[in-house]
Amino acid sequence: MLQAERVVRRCRELAVISEEEGRLTRWFGGDAMARANELVGRWMAEAGMAVRVDAALNLVGSLPGSDPEAGTLLLGSHLDTVRDAGAFDGPLGVIAAIACVERLRAQEVSLPFSVDVLGFSDEEGLRFGTAYLGSRAVAGTLDDATRALIGAGAAAASRRGERLLGYVELHIEQGPVLEQRGAPVGVVTAIAGATRAEVTFTGRAGHAGTVPMELRRDAACGLAELVLAAEAAARAEPGLVATCGRLEALPGAPNVIVGSAVASLDVRHADDAVRARVVAGLRARGDEIAGARGLELAWDERMATPAVAMDPVFCDLLAQAAAARGAPDVRLPSGAGHDAVALSELTRVAMLFVRCAGGVSHHPDESVDAADVAVALDVLDGFLRLLAERGAR
Ligand code: GLV
Ligand code: MN
Ligand code: MN
């Protein structure tokens, strides 16, 4: 419990490191990310790990195993945040993994395989609107457009070709299921697929007092119609969620008709075909709206990731470790995206969710109970030992 309390305290300590006064915001390549890497890197070093920052600005702490042939297990999560974030989305998984390494060393347990704890540099996509930059670099799946954004040198972070045993990520649930089920932790079955696009309507700016309504080409009105169309499409499709989280109207003055209006669009569903159909439908609707209003529509798809299933063997080991700790066997899908999506193109992946209060996340009120974190640490520790016993297969 003491160790879990310290994990929670460290998450809160890290949450003070921000780009913005009075709220937690850390984006890829920012000064706050560099300072976060420094602090977490110090904790890694204190836990006995060799620490480096890779070519994609991911923080990496390495603990060698006793058998150099046994390969490496990857643990961790991300250290970047959304704007005005809570303290636990991402950092909990990194700091909990460090605690597991500390525990192994304190108990003089030597695993045959090496353990690398990763603090990914960009899971949220706050800076460029495209998520998983750090983990895609590690997976060796950066595309040309992304390399242009973050520099071709980032590709050197790739771990392709190494003997990797898998990637296990501990993360807050960010939803209400575990709380409803009365369970401290749950084993993730799959992560929903997601499409992100930036949608821009362009019309004509003009004087708010003089241009008659029938002569206007108001981009904000077109965008408003599309935002409502996205909401209606999501409500009509079971299991689908659609969000326009960033809206911008330019030039942005009360007495000027909006000449250009931009929205981010984020659409998710567990079934990739359903998501693709809804996104195509929204795009067609956007063209209709633009046509009817004399606007131009630019549709820039920034990201499309398929739904990803977790590795069944790793899931069973996590469930076995949870049972040994007396936790109920709860399995649940994730509507949120995680670095495990990107890593699934490199190695097998699994995730353990920790209950969070009220299911609140992407909000400064995000919180976890240290007692639940204590269970999660035991489960992750149990998983490592079970994997070692199996000969890490
Ligand atoms: C990450 O938090 C996401 O699901 O967008
Ligand atoms: Mn997040
Ligand atoms: Mn996250």
Side-chain angles (χ1 to χ4, degrees):
M1 186 68 178
L2 278 180
Q3 209 187 14
E5 280 165 3
R6 194 165 61 135
V7 167
V8 171
R9 253 196 335 270
R10 282 183 163 181
C11 289
R12 296 223 179 264
E13 186 181 339
L14 186 63
V16 174
I17 300 180
S18 174
E19 295 286 348
E20 299 180 310
E21 185 80 26
R23 59 182 187 176
L24 170 55
T25 306
R26 286 197 299 264
W27 55 70
F28 176 83
D31 175 61
M33 278 300 291
R35 284 182 287 134
N37 278 353
E38 227 173 87
L39 179 60
V40 179
R42 197 168 342 123
W43 293 333
M44 286 175 165
E46 282 165 15
M49 285 181 267
V51 184
R52 66 189 172 92
V53 174
D54 74 12
L57 305 182
N58 301 303
L59 181 67
V60 187
S62 301
L63 182 76
S66 58
D67 175 1
E69 302 296 305
T72 305
L73 179 73
L74 306 177
L75 300 176
S77 189
H78 58 100
L79 293 175
D80 68 313
T81 72
V82 290
R83 191 178 295 286
D84 200 10
F88 300 96
D89 173 5
L92 179 66
V94 183
I95 293 169
I98 296 171
C100 283
V101 168
E102 274 168 0
R103 189 182 296 192
L104 291 171
R105 283 175 54 92
Q107 297 179 359
E108 296 182 5
V109 175
S110 156
L111 299 172
F113 48 85
S114 304
V115 173
D116 274 10
V117 178
L118 292 152
F120 289 111
S121 58
D122 177 273
E123 187 264 6
E124 304 286 6
L126 185 59
R127 176 144 175 211
F128 298 114
T130 171
Y132 312 134
L133 295 183
S135 40
R136 277 196 282 151
V138 167
T141 56
L142 288 177
D143 53 24
D144 290 345
T146 315
R147 270 199 288 263
L149 288 175
I150 64 173
S158 170
R159 308 284 300 258
R160 212 156 267 276
E162 280 183 42
R163 174 155 164 63
L164 296 174
L165 303 180
Y167 170 69
V168 181
E169 179 169 356
L170 182 155
H171 202 284
I172 56 165
E173 184 206 336
Q174 307 182 275
V177 175
L178 292 174
E179 206 169 58
Q180 272 168 10
R181 304 277 290 270
V185 296
V187 176
V188 176
T189 52
I191 301 174
T195 299
R196 281 197 200 172
E198 184 169 279
V199 180
T200 306
F201 283 94
T202 307
R204 190 170 171 78
H207 198 295
T210 60
V211 183
M213 293 310 287
E214 65 277 13
L215 295 184
R216 294 186 181 202
R217 290 162 54 213
D218 186 330
C221 296
L223 190 71
E225 277 199 63
L226 187 67
V227 171
L228 292 177
E231 183 194 41
R235 282 179 185 266
E237 191 71 56
L240 190 123
V241 285
T243 308
C244 296
R246 192 176 69 81
L247 300 172
E248 199 181 353
L250 295 170
N255 58 349
V256 182
I257 298 160
V258 172
S260 123
V262 188
S264 61
L265 174 68
D266 178 308
V267 179
R268 306 187 193 204
H269 196 272
D271 183 330
D272 294 332
V274 172
R275 174 173 49 88
R277 170 168 53 72
V278 170
V279 171
L282 285 174
R283 191 168 179 164
R285 180 74 196 110
D287 285 334
E288 267 173 35
I289 294 167
R293 290 179 168 276
L295 305 170
E296 302 287 318
L297 172 65
W299 188 284
D300 179 12
E301 188 166 297
R302 294 286 177 93
M303 188 184 102
T305 54
V308 169
M310 301 295 105
D311 178 72
V313 174
F314 273 21
C315 286
D316 284 347
L317 290 179
L318 284 169
Q320 220 178 303
R325 180 56 164 79
D329 184 358
V330 177
R331 315 254 176 148
L332 71 171
S334 173
H338 299 284
D339 291 297
V341 170
L343 270 283
S344 71
E345 295 197 56
L346 176 70
T347 186
R348 57 186 170 171
V349 298
M351 290 193 72
L352 182 72
F353 273 173
V354 183
R355 171 167 57 187
C356 63
V360 173
S361 185
H362 283 187
H363 189 281
D365 288 349
E366 196 172 271
S367 88
V368 286
D369 196 330
D372 292 349
V373 174
V375 175
L377 292 180
D378 287 349
V379 172
L380 192 54
D381 178 65
F383 170 88
L384 295 174
R385 292 169 200 242
L386 287 168
L387 188 64
E389 274 168 27
R390 293 170 48 98
R393 275 168 292 109

